[in-house]
Amino acid sequence: MLSHLRKYFRTIYFIRSDYSSKGPVCVDIELSNKCNLNCKMCWFHGESGIGDRYLNSEMTTEEVLKLIDQIMVYRPHIYFGGGEPFIREDFLEIIAYVKKFNLQTSFTTNGILLDIEKIQKIVQLRVDHITFSIDGPEELHDEIRGQGNYRKVISNMQHFLNCKQEENIKKPLITVNITINPSIVGHLKETITSIKKMTGDRVDYFTIHHLWFITPAELKLQKAAVNKNIDRTACGSGSHCIPLSHCIDSDALSNEIFQLRSEKKTKFFPNLKGKEINEFYSDGYKLNKRCVASLLAVLVKPNGDLKFCPDEWIDDYILGNIREDSFENIWNSKNARDFRSIIFREKHFPACKRCSWMYNSF
C-alpha cells in the first residue's frame, strides 16, 4: 500500500513539474563494452551482437571520477554494467572513489579476470553486491563461455566467500545469475545444487533470469514506434532479436520454475509464474505497465553519453554527454523531459515489455 502511494505522489509531482525529476535513485555506468568472452546471447559480442561501439572513446579515469563527483549529491545506487568491468585496469580505483562517498555499489562479472589480491581489495572496500554469471552446470557453462571457465569462476567465488568468513562480514552479497537459454531448461536445479555443493552453500542468492529479447515481428513494431514518436531508428535494438520465443520450451520451463520456488535463496527476475512464463516467451507478448525508468534511473555509456534506455533498446536517443555538459543540466534537459513526456503518454514502446528496467524496483 505504501509503495503504491509513493508511486502515486511521484507521478503527480512528475506531471506538475513538466516531467522533471529530483534525481536518479540508480545510475548505471558502463565503463567499457569490452569483454574477455564472446557469449552467444550477448547483445554486444554474441551471435546478433553490435560489437563495441566505443573503442578508443571510453571515459578516462579522471572523467569517471568527475562524473561521480556530480552524481554523489543524489545518493544513488551505482551499478557498473556494460561489458566485463575488470577489463578496465582502473576499476578498483573507481570503486574505491565511489565507496569514499559511502554510496551503494554493485557490479556483474563473469569472474574470470579476478585474483586473490583483487578479491581482498573488493572485500575491504565493502562493495555491496556482486553478481557472478553462470550459465548452467560445468559442461554447459564451458560450452557457452569457454573450456575451464566454470572452475575459474567457482574458485574466485570461493575466495570471496572465504574472505567474508574470515572477516566475519556480510558484504559483498554474492549472487549467482543464471540466464535462461534453451540448453539450460531442465538443468536449473542441477546448476544450483552443483554451485551450493562446491561453495559450501554460502552463496547469498541465486537469480533465475529471463533474458530480455524481441522477435523479428516485434523488432519491426519497435522501430516503427520509435521513429513515429521520437524520430529515432533504434538501430541497435536488433541485437536483442534472438529466437528464444521459438527455442524455449515454456511449458517445461514453467514447470521447472514452479518446482524451484521452494528452493532456499532462489529468486526469479522477472518474477513470472505459470502462464506468465508462456506469455513472456510468445511472439506478441503484451504488458500493461508504464515504464518509469526515466524518472528514476539513467545509463552512462563508455564515451559519456547519457541515455534513459539500458542496453540497446533505443540507443540513438542521447540526452547529452557528460564531457560537454554537467549531469545536473542533462538530467532535466529538454531532451530528458521530452522523452519522459512521450514515454508517459505511450506507457512503453513495443520492445520495452521484456526490458529489465520495466521490472526493476530501483
Side-chain angles (χ1 to χ4, degrees), residues 86 89 92-93 113-125 155-156 159-160 163 167:
F86 286 97
E89 293 184 0
L92 289 180
E93 179 184 349
L113 300 180
L114 287 162
D115 56 39
I116 296 282
E117 185 177 348
K118 290 176 183 174
I119 289 168
Q120 290 175 336
K121 179 66 173 177
I122 291 167
V123 172
Q124 290 168 4
L125 289 171
S155 175
N156 283 327
H159 289 317
F160 263 112
C163 283
E167 296 198 26

Side-chain angles (χ1 to χ4, degrees), residues 10 23-27 74-78 295-298 331 361-362:
R10 190 184 287 158
V25 298
C26 177
V27 178
Y74 303 103
R75 309 303 298 168
H77 179 114
I78 295 182
L295 180 63
L296 303 170
V298 70
W331 176 248
S361 61
F362 297 107

Side-chain angles (χ1 to χ4, degrees), residues 33-52:
N33 282 172
K34 297 186 183 75
C35 190
N36 54 315
L37 302 179
N38 293 286
C39 304
K40 296 177 182 178
M41 60 281 196
C42 177
W43 46 87
F44 295 135
H45 306 290
E47 293 175 341
S48 302
I50 59 171
D52 184 0

Side-chain angles (χ1 to χ4, degrees), residues 130 132 134 154 157-158 161 164 173-177 192 195-196 198-207 264-265:
I130 301 172
F132 288 88
I134 295 184
I154 291 292
M157 283 171 54
Q158 289 171 329
L161 296 166
K164 286 174 58 179
L173 294 176
I174 302 296
T175 290
V176 170
N177 190 72
I192 293 171
I195 297 169
K196 283 184 175 182
M198 296 185 76
T199 60
D201 197 11
R202 292 179 295 165
V203 169
D204 293 291
Y205 300 106
F206 295 86
T207 299
K264 292 181 179 179
K265 303 181 180 180

Side-chain angles (χ1 to χ4, degrees), residues 10-217:
R10 190 184 287 158
T11 301
I12 296 299
Y13 171 83
F14 184 42
I15 297 171
R16 289 184 174 178
S17 64
D18 191 24
Y19 300 98
S20 294
S21 169
K22 292 181 179 179
V25 298
C26 177
V27 178
D28 182 345
I29 302 175
E30 293 184 359
L31 296 175
S32 176
N33 282 172
K34 297 186 183 75
C35 190
N36 54 315
L37 302 179
N38 293 286
C39 304
K40 296 177 182 178
M41 60 281 196
C42 177
W43 46 87
F44 295 135
H45 306 290
E47 293 175 341
S48 302
I50 59 171
D52 184 0
R53 296 174 168 179
Y54 302 99
L55 288 172
N56 304 316
S57 64
E58 295 175 354
M59 289 184 289
T60 64
T61 306
E62 291 72 21
E63 287 173 327
V64 176
L65 301 188
K66 183 180 178 181
L67 167 65
I68 293 165
D69 283 336
Q70 294 182 53
I71 62 178
M72 59 83 60
V73 296
Y74 303 103
R75 309 303 298 168
H77 179 114
I78 295 182
Y79 172 73
F80 291 102
E84 169 54 45
F86 286 97
I87 286 284
R88 293 270 305 222
E89 293 184 0
D90 59 355
F91 184 44
L92 289 180
E93 179 184 349
I94 291 169
I95 288 180
Y97 195 76
V98 171
K99 294 309 292 184
K100 186 178 79 169
F101 298 109
N102 199 30
L103 299 178
Q104 285 198 343
T105 313
S106 62
F107 62 85
T108 298
T109 177
N110 58 47
I112 305 303
L113 300 180
L114 287 162
D115 56 39
I116 296 282
E117 185 177 348
K118 290 176 183 174
I119 289 168
Q120 290 175 336
K121 179 66 173 177
I122 291 167
V123 172
Q124 290 168 4
L125 289 171
R126 299 299 190 263
V127 170
D128 296 272
H129 197 161
I130 301 172
T131 299
F132 288 88
S133 299
I134 295 184
D135 296 314
E138 183 171 1
E139 183 178 350
L140 176 55
H141 179 87
D142 284 357
E143 180 184 334
I144 294 172
R145 296 189 178 246
Q147 195 63 36
N149 282 341
Y150 182 87
R151 295 277 173 169
K152 289 179 183 177
V153 66
I154 291 292
S155 175
N156 283 327
M157 283 171 54
Q158 289 171 329
H159 289 317
F160 263 112
L161 296 166
N162 290 340
C163 283
K164 286 174 58 179
Q165 191 170 324
E166 288 168 6
E167 296 198 26
N168 193 29
I169 57 175
K170 293 183 178 181
K171 291 184 178 181
L173 294 176
I174 302 296
T175 290
V176 170
N177 190 72
I178 304 169
T179 300
I180 297 297
N181 65 77
S183 301
I184 202 173
V185 177
H187 299 284
L188 291 174
K189 185 172 178 61
E190 177 189 353
T191 303
I192 293 171
T193 301
S194 174
I195 297 169
K196 283 184 175 182
K197 182 177 180 181
M198 296 185 76
T199 60
D201 197 11
R202 292 179 295 165
V203 169
D204 293 291
Y205 300 106
F206 295 86
T207 299
I208 307 301
H209 199 150
H210 298 280
L211 189 67
W212 37 102
F213 69 96
I214 51 176
T215 66

Side-chain angles (χ1 to χ4, degrees), residues 301-321:
K301 299 300 282 187
N303 70 335
D305 283 344
L306 268 65
K307 303 180 182 183
F308 279 140
C309 291
D311 312 319
E312 308 306 309
W313 291 120
I314 306 177
D315 54 331
D316 49 353
Y317 194 95
I318 299 169
L319 307 174
N321 188 286

Side-chain angles (χ1 to χ4, degrees), residues 218-248:
E218 292 166 344
L219 178 60
K220 290 181 180 179
L221 293 174
Q222 169 74 359
K223 286 180 172 289
V226 169
N227 182 258
K228 176 184 176 182
N229 287 285
I230 57 175
D231 194 27
R232 298 295 190 276
T233 64
C235 49
S237 56
S239 62
H240 292 278
C241 193
I242 50 182
L244 287 188
S245 62
H246 303 294
C247 297
I248 295 289

Side-chain angles (χ1 to χ4, degrees), residues 218 270-272 276 279-280 282-292 346-360:
E218 292 166 344
N271 188 19
L272 306 174
E276 292 176 334
E279 292 168 357
F280 186 87
S282 68
D283 199 348
Y285 166 59
K286 298 185 184 301
L287 183 68
N288 185 24
K289 186 178 181 181
R290 176 177 281 113
C291 177
V292 297
E346 298 295 315
K347 286 194 173 181
H348 61 262
F349 293 119
C352 303
K353 58 195 175 186
R354 296 192 191 92
C355 172
S356 59
W357 280 15
M358 284 293 286
Y359 299 90
N360 200 324

